[in-house]
Amino acid sequence: MSCQGFPRQLRLLTAGDYGYVFEQASYKVHAKGLLVLARDNSLGHPRVGLVFSKKNVRRAVDRNRLKRLVRESIRLRQHRLPAVDIVVLARRGVHELDNPTLHRQLHGLWRRLEKEVGKQSPAISAS
């Protein structure tokens, strides 16, 4: 059985890590209430950072629920995701989604991100 944990090496930890993704995001994928920015890394595994601001999700209980669900989704799909640094941003109204809907949204986001990275990677390696 493969490791399904969520260790520190799979997280964006510093402001520099986040800045690296924000300054030039190679991939942008969005769904209702969520935006995913990603940029290639050379680590061989994905890293994830979460940005759930008080402006977009007022109550702490809602922010914590959303972050917990996103982390769980990443934890379960970490072996299928490409080697990119990912920042997940919350938009207004995301806290109104129920858990099953949010799971579907996240599943679709990760699939579209895999597809986006797959489309651009062969062009890079062919150059």
Side-chain angles (χ1 to χ4, degrees), residues 3-13 18 45-50 67-68 70-79 81 86 88 110:
C3 176
Q4 293 291 316
F6 193 61
R8 286 178 63 88
Q9 70 185 21
L10 294 180
R11 302 178 200 160
L12 296 177
L13 298 172
Y18 281 88
H45 58 80
R47 293 190 307 170
V48 181
L50 306 174
K67 288 190 285 188
R68 189 171 53 248
V70 172
R71 281 193 302 262
E72 178 70 4
S73 175
I74 287 286
R75 188 183 70 77
L76 295 174
R77 291 191 63 93
Q78 66 186 326
H79 300 293
L81 291 172
I86 302 167
V88 180
W110 305 140

Side-chain angles (χ1 to χ4, degrees), residues 10 12 20-21 26-27 36-49 81-87 110 113-114 117 121:
L10 294 180
L12 296 177
Y20 174 76
V21 177
S26 307
Y27 313 103
V36 172
L37 303 174
R39 187 170 176 189
D40 294 315
N41 71 30
S42 58
L43 301 173
H45 58 80
R47 293 190 307 170
V48 181
L81 291 172
V84 292
D85 287 344
I86 302 167
V87 174
W110 305 140
L113 181 61
E114 290 171 35
V117 173
S121 293

Side-chain angles (χ1 to χ4, degrees), residues 12-106:
L12 296 177
L13 298 172
T14 65
D17 293 341
Y18 281 88
Y20 174 76
V21 177
F22 281 125
E23 70 187 30
Q24 242 182 358
S26 307
Y27 313 103
K28 292 181 184 179
V29 182
H30 55 86
K32 183 176 173 25
L34 293 171
L35 172 66
V36 172
L37 303 174
R39 187 170 176 189
D40 294 315
N41 71 30
S42 58
L43 301 173
H45 58 80
R47 293 190 307 170
V48 181
L50 306 174
V51 178
F52 289 77
S53 69
K54 221 186 259 192
K55 179 180 177 182
N56 293 331
V57 184
R58 293 295 295 163
R59 297 184 329 160
V61 67
D62 292 329
R63 287 193 305 275
N64 292 336
R65 177 182 68 93
L66 293 167
K67 288 190 285 188
R68 189 171 53 248
L69 290 170
V70 172
R71 281 193 302 262
E72 178 70 4
S73 175
I74 287 286
R75 188 183 70 77
L76 295 174
R77 291 191 63 93
Q78 66 186 326
H79 300 293
R80 289 186 228 144
L81 291 172
V84 292
D85 287 344
I86 302 167
V87 174
V88 180
L89 292 116
R91 296 179 132 170
R92 289 199 179 153
V94 69
H95 68 280
E96 296 168 359
L97 299 175
D98 59 353
N99 289 357
T101 304
L102 195 58
H103 279 292
R104 282 193 306 275
Q105 294 280 349
L106 289 166

